[in-house]
Amino acid sequence: MSGESAKKKPRTDEKYQLFYWPGIPGRGEPIRLALEEAGAPYDDVAYTKGVGAVTSLLKSGAHFAPPILRHGDLEISQLPNIMLYLGPKLKLVPESEESKYKINQYFLTIMDCQNEAHDVHHPISVALYYEDQKEPAKERAKDFREERIPKFFKHFESVLNANTKSNGEWLYGSELSYADLALFHLVDGLLYAFPRAVARILKDYPKLFDLHRRVKIRPRIASYLESERRPKFSNGLYRHYDELDAPKKDHDEAVPGEGGKQQQAD
Amino acid sequence: MSGESAKKKPRTDEKYQLFYWPGIPGRGEPIRLALEEAGAPYDDVAYTKGVGAVTSLLKSGAHFAPPILRHGDLEISQLPNIMLYLGPKLKLVPESEESKYKINQYFLTIMDCQNEAHDVHHPISVALYYEDQKEPAKERAKDFREERIPKFFKHFESVLNANTKSNGEWLYGSELSYADLALFHLVDGLLYAFPRAVARILKDYPKLFDLHRRVKIRPRIASYLESERRPKFSNGLYRHYDELDAPKKDHDEAVPGEGGKQQQAD
């Protein structure tokens, strides 16, 4: 195995190639955020070569779904797996053995919540339109807003509070990791999808609120979010359907932040 | 970081401690199968110390949900993360860098299918009983049986066929990995939950059919499956509700294997 291992070792000076659907942040976004924060050059092939490059690669049968990352001779899929590979290369995870597993653990939990956010608008089938599963979606949305989001937020707040090394600023250790970037994106996506519900409860989780705010204004992230490299939220994983958000209340005009803005745009 | 890393390094001679709910295979089972195949001593604490040991650990707030693995000073959760840690320790993953990422990739895809198998009987909320979401469950079950299972099976069959190193016997490389054990468990769980549907289609995926059969008769796995250490399928992640399985057909008496047996037991 060692001979083969040496031969197959990816050349780290090669550009990262991301294969993902164009037009939505989706499951490609935690990868883009990490590459952007690290200032690493990458090729988002759906934009540079067209979506045909993504569909062709899928036809090989080697991957179940995008995102797929190609780096040198290595070609891997599954978002948490891609982040596991990129984390140390982009210096977005500390060097200790424990850190690798704890950050992977937090990332997987963030992905669980992200997957549930997707399933809210597709509770029956990904092959059907939202319009064909609107009634079960309403029921699932209520459960997600009232039970699941608070359960996940409570957990992340508890992990942040317990991390004395960064005074509760980051999930693990003293520096930002790729899990913190994904947690920013989760909160950002939920604020887009459920602006009333999330703006109302986020203030009950001050460390999480603060992490979202601090990541958003990091120079490289802020610059990326304003660039045309950033796909805008639309009909992807995080979707905004007004009927799936919390009911409007009289005092909603007073709710500040993105939630308020989004709401007026509808 | 290196000083802390050395201090925190888990002592590998310590017994593995698994914290998971008792009474169901659930998300603990891929861990048990790996430990059993490797012949590694472990403590399934819900059985040895009672379920209180699991609920107490959850109250710490450090983990979102079981399974949780404790090994020396390391305590980690999230099933794919636990397997990533155990894989090399139990020699259930080859040593090359590529193998770690490919096997993690396949494992995560198996987990995606497993999670969907769970969501079939809980399409609206994990906080509600199945009986309170029976109608959407029926719709989701039809989609899962007819669209999703074949899509996943086709993918795994394609990966097996492409692996010339084991002549299509295993997902990656020339030996069984922890992903193969999880794939066995996925097929086994689906045969339990949807016996008619899965027995009908499994024969269309001969490599997958064969992998399931071969893992089941490996000496340590066969001995484990018959032991009282193995929680039986019941009202857990994989559940059998006759109304969620494929409709009965006249020629069903002729379908061999577990599917047929399960069907007569209803």
Side-chain angles (χ1 to χ4, degrees):
Chain A
M1 271 295 163
S2 58
E4 180 206 325
S5 167
K7 195 185 71 189
K8 289 249 178 172
K9 200 172 178 184
R11 285 160 286 169
T12 48
D13 54 344
E14 290 224 20
K15 208 172 176 181
Y16 297 102
Q17 285 187 286
L18 169 62
F19 293 77
Y20 191 69
W21 306 125
I24 54 166
R27 291 187 173 85
E29 198 58 16
I31 303 170
R32 291 190 199 95
L33 287 168
L35 291 163
E36 293 280 347
E37 171 63 26
Y42 67 102
D43 186 5
D44 204 339
V45 303
Y47 297 98
T48 57
K49 298 192 178 68
V51 70
V54 181
T55 48
S56 295
L57 183 52
L58 275 176
K59 277 182 195 148
S60 74
H63 305 281
F64 187 73
I68 302 161
L69 182 83
R70 195 183 281 164
H71 189 217
D73 293 333
L74 192 72
E75 190 185 281
I76 53 174
S77 54
Q78 281 286 358
L79 175 52
N81 189 43
I82 291 171
M83 297 315 300
L84 188 77
Y85 174 77
L86 286 178
K89 295 212 162 21
L90 303 179
K91 303 201 186 306
L92 286 170
V93 55
E95 283 180 9
S96 75
E97 194 198 15
E98 183 188 80
S99 68
K100 182 175 79 170
Y101 295 108
K102 294 309 285 186
I103 288 169
N104 188 40
Q105 171 186 317
Y106 300 139
F107 188 84
L108 286 161
T109 306
I110 294 162
M111 291 304 100
D112 283 349
C113 187
Q114 177 165 287
N115 288 336
E116 291 189 25
H118 168 272
D119 288 356
V120 162
H121 52 78
H122 278 77
I124 302 302
S125 166
V126 290
L128 294 176
Y129 289 110
Y130 162 68
E131 286 67 21
D132 296 326
Q133 44 198 316
K134 226 168 158 174
E135 289 312 310
K138 274 185 200 169
E139 288 182 71
R140 180 145 184 166
K142 184 173 159 49
D143 180 75
F144 184 62
R145 291 186 326 254
E146 296 178 7
E147 305 294 331
R148 303 298 289 171
I149 295 180
K151 191 175 153 84
F152 279 104
F153 279 12
K154 188 183 166 196
H155 172 67
F156 296 126
E157 188 75 6
S158 158
V159 171
L160 288 166
N161 270 317
N163 182 16
T164 51
K165 283 196 187 166
S166 70
N167 205 15
E169 287 203 344
W170 309 118
L171 288 165
Y172 183 87
S174 54
E175 307 282 341
L176 167 133
S177 75
Y178 71 80
D180 297 304
L181 291 172
L183 187 52
F184 154 75
H185 181 62
L186 174 72
V187 173
D188 216 46
L190 293 176
L191 277 167
Y192 170 78
F194 310 99
R196 289 188 294 273
V198 177
R200 266 176 213 155
I201 66 163
L202 190 54
K203 60 184 180 314
D204 299 331
Y205 307 92
K207 295 280 192 235
L208 186 59
F209 178 93
D210 192 49
L211 180 142
H212 174 259
R213 186 189 59 76
R214 278 182 294 108
V215 171
K216 196 167 193 162
I217 57 173
R218 286 175 80 86
R220 284 176 171 168
I221 297 297
S223 152
Y224 163 66
L225 293 175
E226 283 169 20
S227 76
E228 58 181 21
R229 299 189 301 283
R230 156 76 169 202
K232 301 286 172 273
F233 286 120
S234 59
N235 268 358
L237 198 157
Y238 295 104
R239 295 194 193 181
H240 176 68
Y241 294 112
D242 198 62
E243 64 274 21
L244 300 186
D245 196 1
K248 285 174 186 159
K249 285 183 187 169
D250 287 348
H251 58 75
D252 261 9
E253 289 79 34
V255 175
E258 286 187 79
K261 267 196 285 177
Q262 181 60 44
Q263 190 184 319
Q264 286 163 23
D266 293 334
Chain B
M1 269 295 163
S2 59
E4 182 206 323
S5 167
K7 196 184 73 191
K8 289 250 176 170
K9 200 173 177 184
R11 285 161 285 172
T12 48
D13 53 345
E14 290 223 20
K15 209 172 175 181
Y16 297 100
Q17 286 186 286
L18 169 63
F19 294 77
Y20 191 69
W21 305 125
I24 55 167
R27 291 187 173 85
E29 199 58 15
I31 303 171
R32 291 191 198 94
L33 287 168
L35 291 163
E36 293 281 347
E37 171 65 25
Y42 67 101
D43 186 5
D44 204 339
V45 303
Y47 297 98
T48 57
K49 298 190 176 70
V51 70
V54 182
T55 48
S56 295
L57 183 52
L58 274 177
K59 278 181 195 149
S60 74
H63 305 280
F64 188 74
I68 301 162
L69 182 82
R70 194 183 279 165
H71 189 217
D73 294 333
L74 191 73
E75 191 185 280
I76 53 174
S77 54
Q78 280 286 358
L79 174 52
N81 189 43
I82 292 172
M83 298 314 300
L84 189 77
Y85 175 76
L86 286 177
K89 295 210 161 24
L90 303 179
K91 302 198 186 307
L92 286 170
V93 57
E95 282 179 11
S96 74
E97 194 198 15
E98 181 187 82
S99 67
K100 182 175 82 169
Y101 295 107
K102 294 309 286 184
I103 288 169
N104 188 41
Q105 172 186 318
Y106 300 140
F107 188 83
L108 286 162
T109 307
I110 294 162
M111 291 304 100
D112 283 348
C113 187
Q114 178 165 288
N115 288 336
E116 291 189 24
H118 168 274
D119 288 356
V120 162
H121 52 77
H122 278 75
I124 303 300
S125 166
V126 290
L128 295 175
Y129 290 110
Y130 161 67
E131 286 70 20
D132 297 325
Q133 46 198 313
K134 226 170 158 172
E135 288 313 309
K138 273 185 200 168
E139 288 183 71
R140 180 144 184 166
K142 183 173 160 48
D143 180 75
F144 184 63
R145 291 186 327 254
E146 296 178 7
E147 305 293 333
R148 302 299 289 170
I149 296 180
K151 190 175 154 82
F152 280 104
F153 279 14
K154 188 184 166 195
H155 172 67
F156 296 126
E157 188 75 7
S158 158
V159 172
L160 288 166
N161 270 319
N163 182 16
T164 50
K165 283 196 187 168
S166 70
N167 206 14
E169 286 202 345
W170 309 118
L171 288 166
Y172 183 87
S174 55
E175 307 282 342
L176 167 132
S177 75
Y178 71 80
D180 297 305
L181 291 172
L183 187 52
F184 153 75
H185 181 62
L186 174 72
V187 173
D188 216 46
L190 293 176
L191 278 166
Y192 170 79
F194 310 98
R196 289 189 293 274
V198 177
R200 266 176 214 156
I201 65 162
L202 190 54
K203 60 184 180 315
D204 298 330
Y205 307 92
K207 295 279 193 238
L208 186 59
F209 179 94
D210 193 50
L211 179 142
H212 174 259
R213 186 190 60 75
R214 279 181 294 105
V215 171
K216 196 168 194 162
I217 57 173
R218 286 175 81 85
R220 285 175 170 169
I221 297 296
S223 153
Y224 164 66
L225 293 174
E226 282 169 22
S227 76
E228 58 181 24
R229 297 189 304 284
R230 155 78 170 201
K232 301 285 173 274
F233 285 119
S234 60
N235 269 358
L237 197 158
Y238 296 103
R239 295 194 193 180
H240 177 68
Y241 294 112
D242 197 62
E243 64 274 21
L244 300 187
D245 196 2
K248 286 173 186 161
K249 285 183 186 168
D250 287 350
H251 57 77
D252 262 8
E253 289 80 31
V255 176
E258 285 185 78
K261 268 197 282 177
Q262 180 61 42
Q263 190 186 319
Q264 286 164 25
D266 295 332

